[in-house]
Amino acid sequence: MGTHTARVQPSADVAENAVLGDGTTVWHLAQVREDAILGQDCVIGRGAYIGAGVELGDNCKVQNYALVYEPAALGHGVFIGPAVVLTNDTYPRAVSVDGSPKSAADWEPVGVVIGDGAAIGARSVCVAPLRIGRWALVGAGSVVTKDVPDHALVAGVPATRIGWVGRAGRRLEESAPGLWTCPETSERYRETPDGLALEES
């Protein structure tokens, strides 16, 4: 751990047993629930919600009014745009079939798992259970209902793959069948069954 400490604005609500890594900032009116674990140098924006037991790696950014419901797990360097929702209930209902209010014991939460470096665009909804691959990019306003491969660019309702992106977030250009190049970094990628893989130089 570094020499920094976490910074929490007075209006934020952070559970006593939540773990905040060094250099992490929690902004106004955000809520971080019990047993949440946030890595180093994370930023939790105004009014954001981090559910009980949610885990964030280092250098994550959760923008204003995003809702990250348990049991979500985010890798390192994940970007969650403004007003994004990561759901956790496959069959949501406020009441049981007999009309009685449902309690926490009446359902089993399911989570969204997001790989390192991935970014979820503003106002997108990720419907659990699903996995979003490393360095993937979800376009703003999308509804993601299926797993997203590594480096995939997805958009729409429901979200479908419309291209590939590199680690810089730029759309890749096909240089040969199954081979892709980043116009910003010149990094080269090869298609695999799981998405794209960075070619070692």
Side-chain angles (χ1 to χ4, degrees), residues 115 131-136 148-152 164-165 192 194-197:
R131 179 188 181 280
I132 294 173
R134 297 170 60 248
W135 303 102
V148 175
D150 292 351
H151 293 280
W164 298 107
V165 292
T192 74
D194 297 322
L196 289 192

Side-chain angles (χ1 to χ4, degrees), residues 58-153:
D58 298 337
N59 303 308
C60 290
K61 291 186 177 181
V62 178
Q63 299 288 62
N64 296 356
Y65 302 106
L67 307 176
V68 180
Y69 288 106
E70 67 279 1
L74 283 58
H76 300 298
V78 170
F79 176 88
I80 303 293
V84 163
V85 180
L86 306 186
T87 74
N88 67 353
D89 194 347
T90 307
Y91 306 106
R93 287 287 187 263
V95 295
S96 297
V97 292
D98 64 4
S100 61
K102 279 195 166 193
S103 70
D106 292 325
W107 66 289
E108 184 173 339
V110 291
V112 175
V113 176
I114 303 179
D116 293 350
I120 315 300
R123 287 201 176 273
S124 293
V125 177
C126 298
V127 182
L130 60 80
R131 179 188 181 280
I132 294 173
R134 297 170 60 248
W135 303 102
L137 176 59
V138 175
S142 298
V143 176
V144 185
T145 59
K146 295 179 181 175
D147 288 357
V148 175
D150 292 351
H151 293 280
L153 169 60

